[in-house]
DNA sequence: TAAGTTAATAAACATCTGTTCATTATATTT
DNA sequence: AAATATAATGAACAGATGTTTATTAACTTA
């Protein structure tokens, strides 16, 4: 667990770390929803009041764990730029590869969080449904590339749409659905015709 | 609220509907986390035991509300196919447009769920971070199309990657990250070079 | 419509939650 | 090293949770 801040009392760091470790431990065994705060502090060997001093509820603790992971994700994404002088426009590929490495590194955590219903499902549900729909399309028509992984492709396509929807929502529906459709077309066309991947120092 | 099943007792339907309406009402005013089950049944004018007869916890109730919405989403996606005889391979566009209509229809609900921390953030967080990263890239280099909405494009790209990651996780990391990167390249190349959109009976 | 089935209720119980407060222990600062 | 600050503790409280049990009310089907 990262947890390092100049102005942070060592006692806080210890307490928070203990709480995070306790939660992760418990999440291996049981559902996030079933875990009680009392249980967490029992495992962390801390007073219950200490929990509430730092977090209003369980979800917040999990959020902070995610912070640690996401920090590494950002670092991973940024990594390729350091080593490559020329960057191909619109090409997220080099970064994406690093992101895959990041996920692999934190595999345990990712499995835990994705499987758990801590997310309580909206994105998960929508994403899943869209994926099923895209999948059925992909299986109906055969693509020119036999090595294409249909599952991954379907997931890519459907979450991409979900991404647009979420952006739309967050912008307060200030666009018409027709505009959204137009943008989708633009985005799809935007995709790189020629992609050059940079493989910098694959450590 | 939909809620219609042949074998379902009318009392169940009434109770469940009341609970759903109560939760949605409360979610307008306060955070999902702050809402107690006692509060829900108080608004629904039902015994607390009735809640527990149908749902183990709040999240499950919200899940069922989502079911109703997602049913409509699927119907929306399927709609274009009914009216169009020839379907363009790899083209999710016609369906996607219908999905935008669906989201517009349920706008209130979508806003509620996306804003609320019922999701308790993983997808949200990851998606957001990836989006910021993609956004910075897009602003660094100017695209050929000035009408392209950068925010939407960034969200599209980042959630697409997230989609692949989630699929990867759910498959138990059975692929290498190199394979993942290869697939990403394939998927990007797969994108339709010429897109024909069918606009069937835009009701 | 009457009989049989099952949902909803009320009450009660142990446990968990969220909060407060005085006290003790452990940091940081000078 | 002493003074100061603040984190952690333990205890206590009202309210919420999750479960059970017997009773009443509402629905289904024959």
């Amino acid at each position: 667990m990262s947890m390092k801040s100049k102005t942070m009392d060592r006692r806080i760091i210890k307490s928070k770390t203990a709480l995070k470790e306790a939660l992760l431990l418990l999440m291996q065994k049981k559902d996030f929803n079933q875990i009680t705060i009392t249980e967490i502090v029992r495992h962390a060997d801390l007073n219950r009041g200490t929990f509430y001093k730092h977090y209003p509820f369980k979800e917040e603790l999990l959020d902070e764990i995610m912070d640690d992971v996401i920090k590494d994700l950002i670092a991973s994404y940024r990594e390729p730029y350091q080593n490559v002088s020329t960057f191909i426009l619109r090409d997220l590929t080099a970064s994406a590869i690093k992101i895959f490495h990041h996920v692999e590194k934190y595999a345990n955590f990712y499995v835990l969080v994705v499987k758990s219903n801590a997310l309580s499902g909206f994105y998960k549900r929508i994403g899943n449904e869209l994926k099923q729909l895209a999948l059925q399309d992909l299986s109906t028509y055969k693509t020119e590339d036999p090595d294409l992984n249909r599952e991954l492709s379907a997931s890519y396509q459907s979450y991409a749409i979900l991404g647009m929807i979420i952006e739309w929502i967050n912008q307060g529906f200030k666009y018409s659905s027709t505009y959204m459709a137009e943008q989708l077309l633009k985005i799809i066309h935007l995709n790189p015709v020629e992609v050059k991947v940079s493989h910098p120092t694959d450590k």
Side-chain angles (χ1 to χ4, degrees), chain A:
Chain A
M1 220 99 298
S2 70
M3 272 291 76
K4 44 135 189 270
S5 180
K6 264 175 204 166
T7 47
M8 210 191 300
D9 197 304
R10 295 212 313 274
R11 288 168 294 181
I12 297 179
I13 296 170
K14 280 180 197 169
S15 296
K16 285 191 167 190
T17 305
L19 289 170
K20 287 177 192 179
E21 280 168 359
L23 177 56
L24 284 173
L25 190 78
L26 287 166
M27 280 178 75
Q28 312 272 7
K29 293 183 232 165
K30 46 157 78 180
D31 222 50
F32 182 78
N33 275 322
Q34 315 289 348
I35 298 168
T36 69
I37 292 168
T38 302
E39 220 170 349
I40 295 170
V41 295
R42 210 154 44 208
H43 272 80
D45 192 30
L46 289 171
N47 189 273
R48 201 158 54 83
T50 305
F51 178 94
Y52 286 107
K53 177 158 273 177
H54 300 300
Y55 310 101
F57 30 74
K58 287 185 298 175
E59 286 77 7
E60 201 83 348
L61 174 57
L62 186 60
D63 269 12
E64 207 167 287
I65 295 174
M66 289 178 187
D67 279 337
D68 301 338
V69 177
I70 288 175
K71 255 179 215 150
D72 187 87
L73 178 139
I74 294 170
S76 301
Y77 182 97
R78 286 266 161 265
E79 206 181 309
Y81 298 76
Q82 256 87 65
N83 313 25
V84 179
S85 53
T86 57
F87 175 70
I88 298 102
L89 176 58
R90 298 168 271 136
D91 186 9
L92 301 174
T93 313
S95 296
I97 289 166
K98 280 296 170 192
I99 286 174
F100 291 136
H101 284 145
H102 153 84
V103 176
E104 204 164 41
K105 179 170 157 194
Y106 285 93
N108 283 342
F109 175 78
Y110 274 81
V111 170
L112 216 53
V113 175
V114 170
K115 298 291 183 198
S116 101
N117 57 354
L119 331 155
S120 126
F122 184 63
Y123 292 75
K124 201 174 181 173
R125 303 275 299 285
I126 293 277
N128 241 339
E129 290 296 344
L130 286 174
K131 190 198 138 202
Q132 288 311 316
L133 295 169
L135 201 53
Q136 287 164 40
D137 291 346
L138 282 170
S139 69
T140 308
Y141 306 86
K142 57 166 178 282
T143 102
E144 54 265 30
D145 189 341
D147 291 337
L148 177 83
N149 186 315
R150 291 168 191 283
E151 297 275 338
L152 288 174
S153 180
S155 210
Y156 177 99
Q157 304 295 346
S158 47
Y159 275 82
I161 299 290
L162 176 59
M164 287 188 75
I165 291 173
I166 288 163
E167 188 57 35
W168 193 23
I169 295 166
N170 284 329
Q171 300 274 343
F173 288 98
K174 71 180 180 192
Y175 312 120
S176 71
S177 53
T178 305
Y179 176 84
M180 292 297 292
E182 282 167 12
Q183 286 297 318
L184 176 59
L185 289 178
K186 280 190 202 301
I187 292 167
I188 290 172
H189 277 113
L190 178 71
N191 272 307
V193 184
E194 49 186 21
V195 180
K196 281 185 238 154
V197 192
S198 44
H199 277 289
T201 57
D202 207 312
K203 75 134 176 271

